[in-house]
Amino acid sequence: MIRTEQVQDYVQVKQMLIKAFQSEAESRLVEHIRSSPDFIPQWSIVSETDGIITGHIMLSLGEVIDDNRSYRVACLAPLAVDPAYQRKGIGGELIREALRRCPQFDIPFVFLIGHPSYYPRFGFVTAAHYGFQLKQFEVPAEVFMVYEIEEGALNRLKGELRYSKAFLELE
Ligand SMILES: CC(C)(COP(=O)(O)OP(=O)(O)OC[C@H]1O[C@@H](n2cnc3c(N)ncnc32)[C@H](O)[C@@H]1OP(=O)(O)O)[C@@H](O)C(=O)NCCC(=O)NCCS
């Protein structure tokens, strides 16, 4: 079952994130995002199997600056599936559901930093090819990807992506 995360899920989501990433950094990121103005509750989504939280995905609001104007976008991070439940399609289901929930929020794009062998199957393309820059994090060009929500937006809009401040507050 894929559904919106509830407050009662927070403890299980945290434990699952630590298992999947073998680190506490991503669960701290999720906590930062939840308490930031860039949090949208419908964008924190879990997968549940027999009452157990098996996966989680989060989108948060970001901003693209192009010359003197800016527009709101979504940034996908983190995504995790419990190692015991990986390679069963749960990650894919979470991504598709998150993308389905975007049009109602009037954002043209979803951005992410991720593995270039995984995300293109869902429609993500290399952001730099469409005139987007990322200066907050130093990453190889091929891992910075974008998904078009609003038809035609990739041919119309560009600029520098700024992730939510929640991403910059991690120690
Ligand atoms: C990435 C992740 C969410 C995928 O979840 P999943 O439920 O196993 O994904 P799906 O079952 O939908 O897809 C499985 C496919 O993803 C590929 N895949 C999984 N993790 C991958 C990775 N880190 N890089 C590249 N490909 C990956 C698998 O090879 C598999 O492809 P195949 O079926 O063609 O062999 C999961 O492996 C995970 O939680 N990893 C640890 C945390 C992480 O790295 N998150 C992503 C960065 S934010």
Side-chain angles (χ1 to χ4, degrees), residues 65-80:
I65 319 277
D66 188 17
D67 293 330
N68 291 327
R69 68 200 187 104
S70 70
Y71 51 94
R72 294 194 325 167
V73 296
C75 296
L76 189 164
L79 163 68

Side-chain angles (χ1 to χ4, degrees), residues 4-66:
T4 303
E5 181 193 48
Q6 306 296 317
V7 174
Q8 308 86 275
D9 301 321
Y10 286 4
V11 171
Q12 268 202 69
V13 167
K14 180 175 183 170
Q15 288 163 351
M16 191 281 299
L17 287 170
I18 292 171
K19 246 196 277 176
F21 286 102
Q22 302 197 335
S23 142
E24 296 204 355
E26 289 75 13
S27 66
R28 281 205 301 271
L29 170 63
V30 163
E31 284 163 6
H32 276 282
I33 294 172
R34 285 192 198 115
S35 59
S36 86
D38 300 315
F39 176 57
I40 293 185
Q42 295 97 309
W43 280 358
S44 190
I45 304 167
V46 295
S47 60
E48 186 184 325
T49 311
D50 299 331
I52 296 165
I53 300 295
T54 50
H56 174 256
I57 191 168
M58 191 175 241
L59 304 183
S60 52
L61 285 171
E63 194 178 18
V64 172
I65 319 277
D66 188 17

Side-chain angles (χ1 to χ4, degrees), residues 16-168:
M16 191 281 299
L17 287 170
I18 292 171
K19 246 196 277 176
F21 286 102
Q22 302 197 335
S23 142
E24 296 204 355
E26 289 75 13
S27 66
R28 281 205 301 271
L29 170 63
V30 163
E31 284 163 6
H32 276 282
I33 294 172
R34 285 192 198 115
S35 59
S36 86
D38 300 315
F39 176 57
I40 293 185
Q42 295 97 309
W43 280 358
S44 190
I45 304 167
V46 295
S47 60
E48 186 184 325
T49 311
D50 299 331
I52 296 165
I53 300 295
T54 50
H56 174 256
I57 191 168
M58 191 175 241
L59 304 183
S60 52
L61 285 171
E63 194 178 18
V64 172
I65 319 277
D66 188 17
D67 293 330
N68 291 327
R69 68 200 187 104
S70 70
Y71 51 94
R72 294 194 325 167
V73 296
C75 296
L76 189 164
L79 163 68
V81 172
D82 184 319
Y85 292 86
Q86 288 176 7
R87 305 193 92 137
K88 295 176 190 295
I90 293 174
E93 286 304 313
L94 286 166
I95 293 169
R96 287 191 200 92
E97 179 61 22
L99 296 175
R100 268 197 293 271
R101 293 182 181 201
C102 285
Q104 59 175 302
F105 292 97
D106 199 23
I107 46 135
F109 305 116
V110 178
F111 289 90
L112 62 78
I113 296 171
H115 208 288
S117 70
Y118 185 54
Y119 293 97
R121 69 185 78 178
F122 304 104
F124 283 87
V125 294
T126 309
H129 288 172
Y130 291 89
F132 294 106
Q133 298 101 43
L134 180 62
K135 297 179 182 165
Q136 288 171 314
F137 309 106
E138 254 184 64
V139 295
E142 67 269 22
V143 306
F144 174 38
M145 287 177 264
V146 60
Y147 179 93
E148 183 183 73
I149 297 290
E150 186 189 308
E151 208 183 324
L154 275 180
N155 295 323
R156 211 161 41 77
L157 297 169
K158 55 187 171 52
E160 186 205 331
L161 172 65
R162 304 252 176 99
Y163 274 78
S164 164
K165 286 196 178 71
F167 284 78
L168 311 175

